[in-house]
Amino acid sequence: MSALILIMGDQLSFDIPALKAGSKETDIVLLAELREEASYVQHHKKKIAFLFSAMRHFAKALGDAGWRVNYITLDDNSNTHNFAGEAERALSRHQLSHVIVTHPSEYRVLQILKNWQACSSFPIEILDDDRFYCGLDEFSDWAEGRKQLRMEFFYRELRRKTGILMQKDKPIGGQWNYDSDNRKPPDSSVSVPAPTHFERDDITAEVCHLVEKEFAHHYGDLEPFFFAVTHAQAQQVLTQFITERLAHFGTYQDAMRTGEPFMFHSHIGFYLNCGLLSPMQAVNAAVEAYNKGLAPLNSVEGFVRQILGWREFVRGLYWLKMPEYKTLNFLQADRDLPEFFWNGQTDMNCLHQCFSETQRHAYAHHIQRLMVVGNFSLLAGLSPDAVNHWYLSVYADAYEWVELPNVSGMVLFADGGILASKPYAAGSAYIDRMSDYCSGCKYSPKEKNGDQACPFGYLYWNFLERHEDKLRTNPRLSMIYRTWDKMSAEKKHQITAQSRAFLEDITPS
Ligand code: FAD
Ligand code: DLZ
Ligand code: SF4
């Protein structure tokens, strides 16, 4: 009884359940570069090159460790370009008896596996993915019967369960959450360390060549390419973050500075999500730095919360609520995506900076995604389908299980409050305070009317006005609606007129 062990592009972990359940002596491991996976959205070129290179390196490492590996390249003439097709070919090539695969991270791919299971003559065993702190059943047990699902309470449960940053049953330092210490604007006297760079080796060079040839029409720049592509390199990125950035992570977590896309963030999302790093490695490294006195609690707790809290929470929520979650559009937003999301050509400097960095690096940090691009998408009433499609395409760490709750839940409030208690809407003051973007902008955050007025200023009020029927009763927005109520009719009229003119002027993509 020999098995085919199917490993997907985001399952590049030596301890993935399908490998743990298999045998080096009898089984065959399959990895395949597939057009279906590389094109279900037009992924950023850098994401495809990164994943293909990481897959090729992983296949080599598995071979070195004694596994028999079949690696199918994109340009293999017999490649059927989908998981089922490639697995069926391998099954007959090697006369294998059954398939072992780890639960895919995305609902779309689970459906592919289920359809294949229904028609294949081979048994297909799907094993739970245990590379998370919280299993999917455990999350649904936690969610059961709760009126509201809030990350903060889930996070506290996981802190208690794991003992991470805990002293007996109390959080270390006495508080669960140090977010209020983590809101400093950028400080130009504090220099930001360069992100970890790796020279491309022959495998990466070959893959970049392939991507340039086969995916020339996809979004994004392939150069510069300096991502880690092996486990050892990803570990180096984590270590460099812990030693050079973690101490400032908390304080400058929300800060944005022109020309500094990476700030004091960790840039490990790419590696966590494809299996080159585990969340436990990252969390343990941060906690160890705290124990050694190398980083303050506000930074370490802030970082741990992103991984133990947000990352686990959005995964649980995704699997609990799919497939309905993807169809939700609470605010009935239906505007097309502006063309400038793809080409970055807008006079709004904050957006221009974030789009340029996204195009160049397939990366933007959380606040750029949430409070600049996301905030604009919310205020402008862009359709959830269009916005989800964009975020899934442009970031190298994007997979639907983590992208969709962030976009439909956190950014667009399309889920009507399943993930967040209120929309993360903000006017121009937030971006002005947390970035240096406004000083280089055609618009002014201080101007309320006329050609110089920052669009975030009027779009914010226009958004609240448009959705008054759905949002006024939200207790967290009642103060804001009171301010709106006090505005003169003339001012309100001006806001509506300016917003309409601005939105109508946008060229759709
Ligand atoms: P850091 O800021 O250093 O944080 C460390 C890690 O914490 C991240 O690598 C990530 O694994 C985790 N994390 C932080 N915030 C979140 C969050 N909100 N949800 C889940 N995990 C989180 N993250 C993705 O991994 N893939 C996505 O496709 C994705 N899309 C997003 C879309 C929007 C609109 C928003 C607002 C956020 C999105 N995020 C996504 C979350 C977050 O922005 C990225 O994880 C982070 O920017 C990655 O950079 P980093 O590794 O430097 O993160
Ligand atoms: C994202 C991606 C891309 C671009 N290409 C491949 C591929 O060629 N082969 C593969 O196995 N996986 C790829 N992936 C990752 C998959 O899309 C990911 O494993 C699924 O989305 C998991 O549900
Ligand atoms: Fe962005 Fe407005 Fe500031 Fe310009 S003025 S950078 S549009 S917030």
Side-chain angles (χ1 to χ4, degrees), residues 21 65 70 166 203 355 462 500:
N70 276 194
M166 296 294 287
I203 292 180
F355 290 140
N462 181 245
R500 192 169 296 157

Side-chain angles (χ1 to χ4, degrees), residues 211-261:
V211 170
E212 205 57 278
K213 187 163 145 255
E214 298 291 337
F215 301 99
H217 57 294
H218 278 220
Y219 171 82
D221 302 341
L222 205 43
E223 306 289 342
F225 187 98
F226 52 77
F227 286 175
V229 290
T230 65
H231 291 82
Q233 289 178 342
Q235 174 62 55
Q236 223 176 302
V237 175
L238 173 63
T239 305
Q240 203 163 325
F241 164 69
I242 299 286
T243 52
E244 296 183 2
R245 284 197 185 74
L246 175 63
H248 284 321
F249 174 86
T251 309
Y252 298 113
Q253 201 176 339
D254 291 2
M256 298 174 278
R257 202 200 283 177
T258 304
E260 296 287 0

